[in-house]
Amino acid sequence: GDWRKAAAQVEALAEHRARLARTAVRALRQADPGGPDGPGCYERLMRDLLASEDGTVAADGGADYLPPPVEATAVLRRADHDAVLLDTAARVYRFASAAHRRAAAQELGAAEGEPGSGWARAGSPGACWAISLPGISVSVAMAVGGRGLPAAVMCTRANQSTGNSSG
């Protein structure tokens, strides 16, 4: 029914966002590819963001391998380098979205669920995601011992709610 259509739309949107995020992470890595002595400054920044307890790196002296914030921002503002942004109010670097954080973890070899990755392991208690589409809200919660299958899919539309459980 409606929930299957909504779930398919959510899956297509999530796959599209994941592709865009992977592209942005790859492009940012290549903005300063590094050399034989190690990775470039933007790859190091993404690794530091993944390892950071709060998901940020201080812009003022926190990452001495980065160019000054004005120069780094010129690179990060490019549409194809939008994986990381400089939060000017807080003066910290952070991932632009959860999708970019996940793509960086995958591209850089950091497993989801590691400290600082911001993602729960599939099937772990509390693993959940949600997304809103025009007129529809969808959330999926993973089973506690899960086999990677959704424990519940909940679609809500215009004060109406339908749930479907599988497992």
Side-chain angles (χ1 to χ4, degrees):
D2 284 343
W3 73 269
R4 289 178 201 250
K5 183 178 178 183
Q9 287 177 318
V10 167
E11 185 175 334
L13 179 61
E15 288 174 11
H16 176 71
R17 286 188 50 108
R19 277 191 305 275
L20 291 175
R22 279 192 306 273
T23 300
V25 167
R26 289 175 185 151
L28 187 55
R29 282 178 85 181
Q30 292 306 310
D32 175 22
D37 56 337
C41 65
Y42 298 107
E43 179 176 338
R44 287 181 62 189
L45 175 60
M46 288 187 284
R47 288 183 183 281
D48 286 352
L49 288 169
L50 288 168
S52 168
E53 194 65 33
D54 66 355
T56 66
V57 170
D60 298 323
D64 59 354
Y65 51 84
L66 283 172
V70 172
E71 292 176 34
T73 301
V75 172
L76 299 175
R77 282 188 179 158
R78 288 188 45 186
D80 58 339
H81 295 162
D82 67 351
V84 173
L85 58 82
L86 172 61
D87 181 338
T88 55
R91 302 294 298 161
V92 295
Y93 293 99
R94 65 178 174 81
F95 283 105
S97 72
H100 289 98
R101 181 178 195 84
R102 178 177 227 174
Q106 292 169 345
E107 289 291 318
L108 302 176
E112 292 179 37
E114 287 182 355
S117 72
W119 290 87
R121 293 186 194 280
S124 66
C128 178
W129 59 264
I131 193 164
S132 292
L133 297 170
I136 300 173
S137 222
V138 179
S139 60
V140 176
M142 299 305 289
V144 169
R147 298 179 305 264
L149 300 173
V153 176
M154 181 64 70
C155 299
T156 307
R157 180 184 46 168
N159 298 328
Q160 179 182 11
S161 170
T162 24
N164 178 41
S165 294
S166 63

